[in-house]
Amino acid sequence: MNFGEITEKRQSCRSYNSERCVEKEKLDRILEAARLAPSACNGQPYFITVCEGEAAKEVARATQGVGINKFATEAPVMLVISEMPYVATAALGAKLKNNDYRSIDIGIVAAYITAQATEEGLGSCILGWLDDEKIRKICAVDGKVRLVITLGYATDTDKLRIKKRKDIGELVKRVN
Ligand SMILES: Cc1cc2nc3c(=O)[nH]c(=O)nc-3n(C[C@H](O)[C@H](O)[C@H](O)COP(=O)(O)O)c2cc1C
C-alpha cells in the first residue's frame, strides 16, 4: 500500500472482531513506526503501554461513558499513550514560543501508529475521551494519559466510508 492508499483506507474503526488476535509481528511493526515518528527537538515526550487481555478490557471501560466508545471493549489491543517530560530544549522552545509541542508530538505518533496499522490490514481508532486517572492506575504510569488507540481486525460490517472533510479551498490558502 502506498501512502496515498493508506490515507484513503485509514478510517476510525468502531467494530472489531474480538476473537481475532493481532499478530506479534504486526504489533511490533506498528510500535517501530511509532518509534520512528518525528518530535520537537527529537524529545519523544510520550510512552506507549500495550494493553491486551483483561488490561485492554479495563482500559476500554475507562474510555466509555454516556454511550461513548462502547465498541472499544471488542478491540483486542489498546495502546495507551501517556505524556513524558519535555527534553530541556523543547521545554525552552515551548515556553519562549508559547507552543504546546507535546500535544503536537503525541498527535504525530498517533498518526504514524494508525497509518502503520492500516498498512498491516488492521483497524484502529484514536480515542481522546478517556479517564486519565483510571488508565494511569491500570497501566501503572505516572504521565498524563493523552490518547488511547484501539487496534484489531475490523468486522465485515466496517465498510470503507466516504470521508467527510472540508473542501481544499476552506482548508488551504496560498500566499506569495
Ligand atoms: C484526538 C482525537 C480524539 C478522538 N477521540 C475519539 C473518541 O473518543 N471516540 C471515537 O469514536 N473517535 C474519536 N476520534 C476519531 C474521530 O472522530 C475521527 O478521526 C474523525 O471523525 C474522522 O473520521 P475518520 O477517522 O473515520 O476518518 C478521535 C480522533 C482524534 C484525532
Side-chain angles (χ1 to χ4, degrees), residues 106-117:
I106 286 169
I108 293 171
V109 86
Y112 269 51
I113 287 170
T114 55
Q116 186 66 35

Side-chain angles (χ1 to χ4, degrees), residues 10-12 14 69 71 125-129 147 161 163 165:
R10 188 224 52 85
Q11 64 181 9
S12 295
R14 299 189 178 92
N69 294 335
F71 63 90
C125 187
I126 299 169
L127 308 182
W129 177 276
L147 291 175
R161 301 183 294 271
K163 292 196 179 9
R165 298 291 192 265

Side-chain angles (χ1 to χ4, degrees), residues 66-125:
V66 292
I68 290 176
N69 294 335
K70 282 188 180 165
F71 63 90
T73 315
E74 304 301 319
V77 180
M78 307 286 279
L79 300 183
V80 171
I81 306 180
S82 48
E83 201 171 83
M84 297 293 281
Y86 272 129
V87 293
T89 44
L92 184 64
K95 198 168 177 197
L96 293 178
K97 294 295 166 194
N98 188 27
N99 205 341
D100 178 5
Y101 299 126
R102 271 190 298 202
S103 292
I104 296 168
D105 294 341
I106 286 169
I108 293 171
V109 86
Y112 269 51
I113 287 170
T114 55
Q116 186 66 35
T118 306
E119 163 74 21
E120 301 294 344
L122 293 166
S124 64
C125 187

